[in-house]
Amino acid sequence: QVQLVESGGGSVQAGGSLRLSCAASIYTGTYSDYCMGWFRQAPGKEREGVATIDRSGRTNYADSVTGRFTISKDAAKNSMTLQMNSLKPDDTAKYYCAATSGCLIATMTPAGYGYWGRGTQVTVSS
């Protein structure tokens, strides 16, 4: 069992930066047992993978954010962050933190994750 809480969303102009955080409360196993990821969903669109990180720290990024976003995790603090730079209006969405256990890879597919936070809104204006 895992509980996830996101923070750090907000409104920013294009070209700006935001840093999202995800605090995890782990009730089964340890933080290192979980693959983690950031996903986003814009109005009228399907939820999509933004960045994921596996148990070894290997990362994956959506093509649309590669070079602009950085995912990281801190096992000592049971936390994960998403540093978002050079934000674009197309990045506007609700961003969700997700986790899954027993994973070999950190998939970019939302269906691969069983634990979700409630999300935090990111709005980028032009």
Side-chain angles (χ1 to χ4, degrees), residues 40-107:
R40 67 187 182 187
Q41 188 166 18
K45 294 188 177 181
E46 293 186 353
R47 191 169 297 188
E48 63 176 1
V50 175
T52 62
I53 186 164
D54 71 10
R55 292 181 292 176
S56 299
R58 289 170 295 202
T59 58
N60 293 304
Y61 295 93
D63 290 344
S64 59
V65 307
T66 297
R68 300 188 297 122
F69 291 10
T70 302
I71 187 172
S72 61
K73 65 178 182 179
D74 185 337
K77 297 181 179 179
N78 283 3
S79 66
M80 178 177 66
T81 61
L82 183 69
Q83 178 66 42
M84 304 186 295
N85 298 327
S86 301
L87 282 161
K88 304 175 181 180
D90 284 348
D91 295 318
T92 295
K94 195 165 188 179
Y95 283 70
Y96 297 87
C97 170
T100 186
S101 61
C103 50
L104 296 178
I105 61 171
T107 179

Side-chain angles (χ1 to χ4, degrees), residues 1-6 22-28 31 34 36 77-80 97-100 114-118:
Q1 291 288 345
V2 179
Q3 289 186 345
L4 304 169
V5 179
E6 303 94 339
C22 174
S25 297
I26 309 292
Y27 299 101
T28 303
Y31 190 74
Y34 293 83
M36 307 286 294
K77 297 181 179 179
N78 283 3
S79 66
M80 178 177 66
C97 170
T100 186
Y115 303 101
W116 292 85
R118 293 185 176 184

